[in-house]
């Protein structure tokens, strides 16, 4: 374990009422959104209780013959009148600091003046609803992956979580043959004591294994992007939890892990003694007994922006090539067509896109490659960002309109042509991607980007009549 992350792993989770397990920056962002929304709900409930108490106090005052706290002639025999509710409510000690950096240092051990991410205070209107006085007692457990880009973004998101007053426990969960045993052994006690468990990826084998160890009766699933849509669908149909882009028969490892996966799935099914909540910005229909809470990115809007707009167009990359769904050459052609049609100059890379593919996007299409160090929702909210953002079917076509509401930024989504799919793509791929696009709200729909027509052989005869012109990328 690197020394930069050892200090984070020493955070105690033994006293936390809520444990959150994350493996990606987006999952951690949505844990923060959930915690903020949970605190706001609690704040509303407290306000309602205070108003009810104030109403009862007024009734008592009226019964005692008191007016404005003074005793009337027919007042109480002891000359006292009930006190009215206090109007100078104070925040309790130990609440979230106002964006002060924890210990003036970053998760990776560097100091705040060495370029660590800072939390911006909003210049524009805050998100609707009260600012919570108290945030949940929460420890975020980062099950660190191998990918360097993902690790870097997780470190930055972990620092934002610490700025909010949460504990962050960094686990090198994949750091060698003995790492899983060490990680699970260290988390066994906190898992059994936690009252609530928050997870970001119900398909993760690591998370499924941890779910078998918890006694918590309150389970919350936060968005892991569009995968949440597939999770809800499989949960409703009673199907095994399998990622949408996987295909083929189950291997030996899947068969060995099947009992654990089945147990985790039962834990994610509500019953008389277990509550299951899905905190999501995706358009999902809850199965019976599952509570759906809308993620409107209130924390992001309260902490960042509004952004400065560049007036141009930005493209958002996707890892569909890396996951084996879309053919590389077709993808590059589509990116080039979109860039020409919309005058795009920047390409925001997905954290899992390969360096080779990005090199071709820069060299062949001529776009400036931007490698974000935070999830795109935060990058866009901080700005500067283009007046138009064009994306292929992905999570951001659902989340960016929420994070950027009221800013004037338009989000557009380009369909994936079935001809772009590889022969290895899952049979569910086209339907799933179409569903991601079709259910997106407050976005502009684009048809598939036109591909270049294949060049005719030099000795071929010219066509007797011209073919139809290439169709432009049209809004539906």
């Amino acid at each position: 374990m690197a020394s930069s992350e050892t200090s984070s792993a020493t955070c105690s989770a033994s006293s936390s009422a809520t444990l959150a397990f994350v493996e990606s920056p987006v999952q951690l962002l949505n844990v923060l959104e959930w915690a903020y929304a949970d605190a706001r709900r609690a704040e509303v409930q407290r306000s309602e209780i205070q108003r009810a108490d104030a109403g009862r106090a007024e009734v008592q005052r009226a019964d005692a013959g008191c007016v404005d706290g003074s005793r009337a002639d027919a007042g109480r025999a002891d000359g006292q009148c009930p006190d009215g509710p206090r109007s100078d409510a104070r925040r309790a000690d130990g609440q979230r600091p106002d964006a002060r950096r924890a210990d003036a240092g970053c998760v990776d051990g560097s100091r705040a003046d060495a370029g660590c991410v800072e939390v911006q205070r909003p210049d524009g209107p805050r998100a609707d609803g009260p600012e919570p006085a108290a945030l949940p007692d929460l420890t975020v457990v980062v099950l660190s992956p191998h990918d360097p880009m993902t690790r870097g973004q997780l470190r930055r998101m972990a620092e934002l979580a610490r700025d909010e007053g949460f504990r962050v426990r960094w686990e090198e969960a994949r750091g060698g043959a003995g790492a899983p045993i060490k990680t699970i052994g260290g988390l066994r006690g906190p898992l059994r004591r936690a009252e609530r468990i928050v997870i970001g990826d119900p398909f993760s084998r690591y998370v499924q294994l941890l779910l078998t160890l918890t006694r918590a009766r309150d389970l919350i699933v936060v968005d892991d992007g569009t995968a949440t849509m597939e999770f809800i669908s499989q949960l409703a149909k009673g199907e095994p939890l399998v990622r949408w882009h996987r295909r083929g028969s189950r291997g030996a490892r899947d068969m060995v892990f099947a009992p654990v996966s089945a147990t985790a799935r039962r834990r994610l099914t509500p019953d008389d003694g277990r509550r299951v909540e899905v905190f999501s910005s995706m358009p999902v229909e809850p199965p019976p007994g599952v509570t759906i809470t809308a993620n409107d990115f209130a924390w992001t809007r309260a902490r960042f922006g509004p952004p400065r707009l560049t007036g141009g167009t930005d493209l958002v990359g996707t890892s569909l090539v890396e996951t084996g769904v879309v053919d590389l050459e077709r993808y590059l052609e589509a990116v080039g067509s979109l860039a020409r049609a919309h005058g795009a100059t920047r390409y925001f890379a997905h954290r899992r896109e390969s360096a080779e593919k990005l090199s071709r996007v820069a060299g062949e299409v001529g776009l400036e490659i931007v490698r974000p160090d935070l999830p795109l929702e935060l990058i866009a909210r901080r700005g500067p960002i283009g007046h138009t953002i064009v994306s292929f079917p992905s999570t951001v076509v659902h989340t960016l309109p929420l994070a950027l509401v009221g800013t004037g930024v338009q989000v557009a989504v380009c369909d994936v042509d079935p001809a772009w799919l590889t022969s290895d793509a899952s049979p569910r791929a086209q339907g799933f991607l179409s569903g991601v696009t079709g259910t997106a709200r407050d976005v502009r729909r684009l048809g598939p980007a036109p591909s270049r027509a294949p060049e005719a052989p030099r000795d071929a005869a010219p066509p007797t009549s011209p073919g139809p012109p290439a169709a432009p990328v049209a809004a539906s």
Side-chain angles (χ1 to χ4, degrees), residues 336-360:
S337 296
L338 288 172
R340 291 188 296 271
H342 297 276
T345 58
R346 296 193 299 176
Y347 181 97
F348 284 87
H350 189 278
R351 57 187 171 80
R352 287 199 297 265
E353 287 190 86
S354 69
E356 293 78 11
K357 186 179 79 174
L358 294 178
S359 177
R360 293 188 62 180

Side-chain angles (χ1 to χ4, degrees), residues 373-429:
D373 58 355
L374 288 168
L376 189 58
E377 293 81 4
L378 302 186
I379 294 294
R381 185 71 193 180
R382 291 195 308 177
I385 194 70
H387 188 273
T388 301
I389 300 175
V390 179
S391 173
F392 295 97
S394 71
T395 304
V396 298
V397 304
H398 293 272
T399 59
L400 284 179
L402 296 172
L404 297 172
V405 64
T407 63
V409 176
Q410 182 184 58
V411 179
V413 55
C414 172
D415 288 319
V416 169
D417 192 308
W420 302 354
L421 301 182
T422 68
S423 59
D424 294 328
S426 165
R428 297 182 296 165

Side-chain angles (χ1 to χ4, degrees), residues 244-247 318-334 392-393 414-435 437 448-449 451:
W244 66 268
H245 55 78
R246 292 187 60 183
R247 67 170 298 167
T318 175
S319 60
L320 290 173
V321 172
E322 284 72 15
T323 53
V325 175
V326 170
D327 177 75
L328 172 60
E329 300 304 324
R330 295 282 191 164
Y331 181 81
L332 293 174
E333 290 177 3
F392 295 97
C414 172
D415 288 319
V416 169
D417 192 308
W420 302 354
L421 301 182
T422 68
S423 59
D424 294 328
S426 165
R428 297 182 296 165
Q430 183 61 40
F432 180 80
L433 293 172
S434 297
T437 301
S451 300

Side-chain angles (χ1 to χ4, degrees), residues 51 59 90 281 324 384 418 427 472:
R51 284 195 295 269
V59 171
R90 301 287 195 267
S281 58

Side-chain angles (χ1 to χ4, degrees), residues 304-320:
F304 296 87
R308 177 176 64 85
L309 305 187
T310 65
T313 297
D314 292 323
L315 295 186
V316 177
T318 175
S319 60
L320 290 173

